[in-house]
């Protein structure tokens, strides 16, 4: 039995990865409101048939594949396939009353083509947008395959039912569209996805894929400066990306530096729980989950300019620095002083933070509104 809303997880099943985006999908499925009728669907390569899977089964597959140290992402794909409870085709969707939600960017050409066909058939479709950076700042994505990326963003730019994860993403979408659309909804991501864990780190931590846009070079230069006069450890936690060569070149001659390329959520939580501070210098983020997770764990944050997840946080709840090694080194030195860190810790304790349950509830409510609006263009379900 299919649900009223079908959440297309084809990208996740075919190409599961420990990415921030699929972390969002994981939390969305884990917290999906039980009173909103929905199922997950996915398709295989060269087969348009949609396999139907219960939301809880996909969430459980992610629990087993992403939160266990050393688990292969293939575990996610295999468990989703094993849990499939039936199939549905596009003709049945066109004849029924389902709506389809794409919860993550898909650069799989057949998925984008399917969404376009469903639009043509009159099936209500919706898309959750993360950022438009692959087309607005393509220099951050040197390995991208231009054709599927551009096809996805052309579809999103003209789509009537879009929700964004931040005001920054909404502004990026407006740039693609040539103007702001007041109907675009913002559903802010949560901060409470990591469970409590014993403290592990004693220094500073960086959480996120090891990419150049995370300004790993600036971070390492800053800590090299600090460590000339005092021992201040830095732990990197994140999968290899296009900056792994920068880290590898430093590891042998930087005793203050360590790197965990594969860590469970519990290990990440433990590092945040005990760290002096999280350092987050990424530029061009759609949101930036680690700073909020750090705050939720009581960990102060040093961040570069323009981090979307910190837009709504009050002044004094994090240390904002310019994106250069000198400014960051000075902020690290200051955070090493107990009274400075204590002031940020107190400010964090008084700062309301968004929850994943609230995010899932907002997305589900937006999806229901979109499905009803398409089913009844007259607006009886405003």
């Amino acid at each position: 039995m299919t649900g009223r809303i079908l959440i297309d997880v084809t990208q996740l099943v075919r190409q599961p990865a420990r990415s921030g985006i699929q972390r969002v999908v994981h939390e969305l499925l884990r917290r999906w409101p039980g009173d909103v009728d929905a199922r997950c669907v996915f398709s295989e390569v060269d087969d348009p048939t949609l396999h139907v899977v219960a939301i809880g089964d996909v969430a459980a597959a992610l629990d087993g594949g992403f939160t266990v140290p050393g688990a292969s992402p293939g575990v996610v794909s295999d468990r989703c396939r094993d849990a499939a409870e039936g199939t549905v085709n596009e003709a049945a969707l066109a004849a029924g009353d389902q709506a389809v939600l794409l919860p993550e960017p898909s650069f799989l050409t057949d998925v984008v083509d399917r969404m376009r066909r469903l639009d043509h058939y009159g099936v209500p479709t919706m898309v959750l947008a993360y950022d438009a950076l692959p087309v607005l700042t393509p220099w951050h994505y040197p390995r991208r395959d231009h054709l599927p990326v551009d096809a996805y963003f052309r579809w999103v730019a003209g789509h009537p039912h879009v929700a964004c994860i931040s005001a920054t993403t909404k502004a990026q979408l407006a740039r693609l569209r040539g103007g702001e659309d007041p109907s675009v909804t913002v559903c802010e991501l949560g901060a409470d996805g990591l469970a409590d864990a014993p403290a592990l780190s004693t220094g500073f931590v960086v959480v996120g894929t090891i990419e150049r846009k995370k300004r790993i070079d600036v971070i390492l230069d800053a800590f090299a400066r600090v460590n000339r006069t005092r021992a201040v450890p830095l732990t990197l936690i994140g999968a290899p990306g296009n900056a792994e060569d920068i880290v590898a070149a430093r590891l042998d001659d930087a005793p203050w530096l360590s790197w965990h390329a594969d860590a469970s959520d519990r290990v990440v939580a433990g590092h945040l729980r005990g760290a002096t501070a999280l350092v987050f210098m990424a530029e061009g983020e759609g949101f930036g989950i680690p700073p909020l997770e750090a705050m939720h764990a009581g960990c102060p944050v040093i961040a570069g300019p323009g981090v979307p997840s910190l837009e709504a946080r009050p002044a004094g709840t994090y240390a904002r620095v310019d994106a250069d090694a000198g400014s960051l080194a000075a902020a690290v030195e200051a955070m090493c002083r107990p009274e400075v860190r204590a002031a940020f810790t107190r400010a964090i304790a008084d700062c309301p933070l968004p929850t994943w349950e609230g995010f899932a509830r907002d997305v589900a409510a937006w999806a229901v509104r979109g499905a009803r609006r398409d089913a009844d263009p007259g607006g009886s379900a405003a």
Side-chain angles (χ1 to χ4, degrees):
M1 183 71 178
T2 58
R4 176 68 185 94
I5 295 173
L6 303 181
I7 304 173
D8 192 322
V9 294
T10 299
Q11 180 83 32
L12 185 151
V13 172
R14 289 195 209 164
Q15 299 179 350
R18 290 180 183 271
S19 68
I21 289 176
Q22 292 195 340
R23 171 65 181 281
V24 174
V25 178
H26 187 191
E27 296 292 351
L28 176 65
L29 300 181
R30 286 178 63 194
R31 319 294 178 120
W32 188 266
D35 59 349
V36 178
D37 186 18
R39 296 288 190 281
C40 290
V41 293
F42 68 90
S43 64
E44 302 284 11
V45 179
D46 298 326
D47 183 357
T49 302
L50 289 168
H51 300 270
V52 182
V53 191
I55 286 179
D57 287 335
V58 179
L62 288 162
D63 285 338
F66 284 170
T67 62
V68 178
S72 166
V75 170
V76 174
S77 300
D78 292 343
R79 289 186 176 180
C80 288
R81 292 184 174 103
D82 290 345
E85 58 187 35
T87 61
V88 64
N89 59 36
E90 293 174 14
L93 295 183
D97 66 346
Q98 282 84 17
V100 178
L101 165 62
L102 191 63
E104 67 172 310
S106 184
F107 304 145
L108 302 173
T109 305
D110 62 311
V111 172
V112 177
D113 288 345
R114 174 166 67 242
M115 299 302 285
R116 288 184 179 277
R117 286 195 302 272
L118 293 176
D119 290 338
H120 179 73
Y121 296 154
V123 176
T125 64
M126 293 149 286
V127 57
L128 182 61
Y130 291 72
D131 60 62
L133 298 175
V135 292
L136 295 178
T137 59
W139 52 88
H140 286 315
Y141 304 87
R143 299 178 184 175
R144 75 175 196 157
D145 182 346
H146 288 263
L147 182 59
V149 169
D150 291 344
Y152 168 79
F153 283 107
R154 281 198 301 272
W155 176 66
V156 171
H159 201 278
H161 302 319
V162 180
C164 297
I165 61 171
S166 70
T168 298
T169 302
K170 185 174 180 178
Q172 292 171 1
L173 183 63
R175 288 176 61 187
L176 291 184
R177 293 184 169 188
E180 186 170 346
D181 183 347
S183 71
V184 174
T185 297
V186 174
C187 300
E188 188 178 21
L189 307 185
D192 57 340
L194 298 178
D196 289 340
L200 296 175
S201 286
T202 56
F204 291 76
V205 295
V206 172
V207 176
T209 305
I210 307 302
E211 299 174 304
R212 280 173 164 76
K213 73 170 187 171
K214 308 289 188 182
R215 301 312 310 267
I216 296 297
D217 54 340
V218 170
I219 294 171
L220 295 183
D221 286 347
F223 276 84
R225 293 189 187 194
V226 173
N227 276 275
R228 291 172 188 164
T229 57
R230 63 191 302 173
V232 179
L234 173 66
T235 302
L236 308 180
I237 305 173
N242 61 18
E244 61 180 295
D245 57 326
I246 297 175
V247 177
R250 297 283 190 117
L251 281 171
D252 289 341
D253 60 357
W256 44 266
L257 176 64
S258 60
W259 177 21
H260 301 286
D262 184 22
S264 69
D265 284 356
R266 184 172 175 80
V267 170
V268 174
H271 280 285
L272 292 177
R273 182 70 62 189
T276 303
L278 171 82
V279 178
F280 195 82
M281 299 296 291
E283 60 182 9
E285 286 287 306
F287 189 74
I289 298 174
L292 292 191
E293 290 183 330
M295 288 182 172
H296 189 265
C299 175
V301 174
I302 300 174
V307 178
S309 61
L310 298 175
E311 291 170 345
R313 309 286 83 81
T317 54
Y318 69 99
R320 182 192 180 282
V321 298
D322 293 332
D324 64 83
S327 298
L328 177 56
V332 170
E333 292 274 12
M335 195 66 76
C336 288
R337 292 158 48 194
E339 69 274 15
V340 172
R341 186 182 186 278
F344 281 106
T345 301
R346 288 193 298 270
I348 291 169
D350 295 332
C351 178
L353 295 172
T355 66
W356 284 112
E357 182 178 353
F359 165 72
R361 187 172 58 248
D362 289 346
V363 172
W366 158 74
V368 168
R369 291 196 303 271
R372 288 175 176 170
R373 183 166 59 244
D374 278 0
D376 181 9
S380 61

